[in-house]
C-alpha cells in the first residue's frame, strides 16, 4: 500500500484519531499539545514514513475484510448511474497549506454534489450501524440529533465522511450500509468466480464458501440489505477537523 499520495499523510480512514479527546490525553513531546494515545502513536508512524518515503501499513488480508471489499462492487450495482465508484483513487486536500499532509479515498462520488462511504460489516456491526442510519427523524429526534448520534457512536465512520467531503469540496455526505440477502448469494458467487481483476486472488474463495460462513440476511427479515443516510456536513465539524489537521501537521513535519 505504497501509494505516494498516502505516504506520511493523515488519511480519512484514520482521521478520527485526531478527534478523540479524554482526561487521559497526553502532551506531545514535539509541540506540547494534548492528544489521545492513539493520535500520538499515529503521528510517530507518520514521521517514520516521511523518513522512509513509504507507508508502514502494507495492507492486511482476512476473509471478513475481503468479503466487505468485494461487496462494495455489489453495492454499486444497486445504485443509480450518477454515482461513480472510486475507492482506489486518492484525493489530496486542494489547498496548498495541506498539500502532502492530508488525503483520502472516498468509496463513491456524485461529482460536485456528494461523497458516499460504503460499509459492509459482519452481522453484529452491520445491525448496529444500520440502526444508527435508519433511526427515523421526528419532532423530538431531529436531523441534528441523528448526526450527533452517528458522531458519538460511530466516530471512525463519521469523521471519515467529513474528511472526504472536505477533500472533494462538497458539503453532503452519504453513509451506506450493505449486507446481502441469502437469495443474492448465487449471483455474488458468480461475480466472484468471474472476477478477473489484479486482486482476484482475494475473492475466489467466495465462490465456494458455505452460506452459513458468510454475513447474509434472511430475506423478508427486519433489515433491508441496502441502507442509506444522506446529510449536510455541519460547518462547525468542517472547521473543527480542519483545525485538528492544522495542529497535527506540526507533529508530523518537524
Amino acid at each position: 500500500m505504497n501509494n505516494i499520495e498516502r505516504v506520511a499523510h493523515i488519511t480519512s480512514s484514520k482521521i478520527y484519531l485526531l478527534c478523540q479527546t479524554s482526561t487521559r490525553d497526553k502532551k506531545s513531546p514535539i509541540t506540547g499539545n494534548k492528544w489521545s494515545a492513539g493520535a500520538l502513536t499515529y503521528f510517530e508512524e507518520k514521521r517514520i514514513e516521511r523518513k522512509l518515503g513509504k507507508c508502514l501499513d502494507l495492507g492486511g488480508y482476512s476473509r471478513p475484510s475481503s468479503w466487505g471489499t468485494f461487496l462494495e462492487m455489489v453495492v454499486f450495482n444497486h445504485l443509480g448511474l450518477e454515482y461513480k465508484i472510486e475507492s482506489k483513487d486518492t484525493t489530496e486536500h486542494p489547498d496548498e497549506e495541506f498539500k502532502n499532509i492530508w488525503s483520502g479515498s472516498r468509496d463513491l462520488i456524485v461529482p460536485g454534489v456528494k461523497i458516499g462511504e460504503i460499509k459492509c460489516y459482519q452481522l453484529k456491526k452491520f445491525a448496529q450501524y444500520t440502526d444508527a442510519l435508519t433511526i427515523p427523524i421526528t419532532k423530538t429526534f431531529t436531523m441534528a440529533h441523528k448526526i450527533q448520534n452517528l458522531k458519538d457512536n460511530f466516530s471512525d465512520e463519521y469523521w471519515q465522511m467529513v474528511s472526504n467531503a472536505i477533500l472533494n469540496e462538497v458539503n453532503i455526505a452519504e453513509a451506506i450500509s450493505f449486507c446481502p440477502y441469502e437469495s443474492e448469494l448465487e449471483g455474488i458467487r458468480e461475480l466472484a468466480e468471474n472476477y478477473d481483476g489484479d486482486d482476484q486472488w482475494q475473492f475466489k474463495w467466495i465462490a465456494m464458501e458455505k452460506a452459513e460462513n458468510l454475513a447474509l440476511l434472511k430475506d423478508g427479515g427486519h433489515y433491508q440489505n441496502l441502507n442509506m443516510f444522506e446529510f449536510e456536513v455541519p460547518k462547525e465539524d468542517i472547521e473543527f477537523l480542519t483545525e485538528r489537521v492544522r495542529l497535527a501537521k506540526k507533529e508530523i513535519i518537524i
Side-chain angles (χ1 to χ4, degrees):
M1 191 175 290
N2 278 307
N3 183 336
I4 192 64
E5 293 174 328
R6 300 180 74 87
V7 174
H9 284 54
I10 293 164
T11 62
S12 295
S13 60
K14 294 290 186 179
I15 209 163
Y16 70 93
L17 292 168
L18 278 60
C19 304
Q20 296 174 333
T21 57
S22 77
T23 56
R24 294 176 292 178
D25 284 354
K26 300 177 181 180
K27 284 188 176 181
S28 162
I30 307 296
T31 66
N33 292 326
K34 285 191 172 182
W35 297 93
S36 69
L40 291 174
T41 298
Y42 188 54
F43 298 151
E44 180 185 17
E45 292 171 350
K46 295 299 145 182
R47 291 193 294 270
I48 292 171
E49 287 184 356
R50 286 185 70 83
K51 295 174 184 176
L52 293 174
K54 62 191 301 184
C55 288
L56 293 177
D57 182 6
L58 300 178
Y61 171 81
S62 68
R63 285 197 167 187
S65 65
S66 170
W67 174 248
T69 299
F70 190 75
L71 289 182
E72 290 180 8
M73 293 181 274
V74 177
V75 171
F76 190 61
N77 294 331
H78 287 266
L79 300 174
L81 295 176
E82 71 271 21
Y83 290 88
K84 293 183 178 180
I85 188 164
E86 297 186 344
S87 57
K88 294 183 179 180
D89 295 336
T90 298
T91 301
E92 289 196 272
H93 196 285
D95 293 349
E96 190 64 34
E97 178 184 7
F98 298 109
K99 288 286 186 182
N100 301 317
I101 196 69
W102 186 359
S103 62
S105 302
R106 71 267 168 166
D107 289 333
L108 300 167
I109 188 167
V110 179
V113 179
K114 64 183 176 181
I115 57 92
E117 291 297 327
I118 304 167
K119 301 301 178 187
C120 303
Y121 290 130
Q122 295 294 292
L123 290 175
K124 181 180 178 180
K125 192 166 184 181
F126 165 81
Q128 293 170 330
Y129 191 51
T130 299
D131 285 345
L133 300 189
T134 57
I135 298 174
I137 294 172
T138 66
K139 289 182 179 180
T140 56
F141 191 83
T142 65
M143 173 66 82
H145 289 124
K146 188 166 181 175
I147 293 171
Q148 187 63 47
N149 181 61
L150 192 62
K151 189 191 308 186
D152 290 343
N153 294 296
F154 295 93
S155 63
D156 302 24
E157 294 87 346
Y158 180 77
W159 290 113
Q160 181 181 26
M161 288 186 284
V162 174
S163 176
N164 280 331
I166 293 170
L167 295 175
N168 290 277
E169 300 182 273
V170 297
N171 62 358
I172 302 294
E174 190 164 32
I176 301 169
S177 70
F178 179 76
C179 185
Y181 294 126
E182 291 176 349
S183 60
E184 294 179 87
L185 180 56
E186 184 176 346
I188 291 170
R189 282 176 169 158
E190 184 175 344
L191 286 173
E193 179 65 32
N194 295 324
Y195 181 74
D196 61 356
D198 293 339
D199 51 355
Q200 61 180 307
W201 63 271
Q202 294 188 42
F203 309 123
K204 288 299 184 183
W205 66 275
I206 294 172
M208 300 173 287
E209 189 59 76
K210 295 179 180 178
E212 56 264 34
N213 294 331
L214 297 171
L216 298 166
L217 295 175
K218 288 186 175 296
D219 291 71
H222 173 79
Y223 289 103
Q224 300 292 315
N225 61 346
L226 181 66
N227 306 274
M228 308 168 78
F229 170 51
E230 181 181 295
F231 63 96
E232 183 173 354
V233 179
K235 183 179 179 181
E236 59 268 27
D237 287 343
I238 293 173
E239 293 172 349
F240 170 77
L241 188 58
T242 301
E243 182 58 27
R244 296 300 281 178
V245 177
R246 186 173 286 119
L247 291 172
K249 179 180 177 180
K250 298 176 182 178
E251 306 287 353
I252 298 169
I253 302 178
I254 58 175

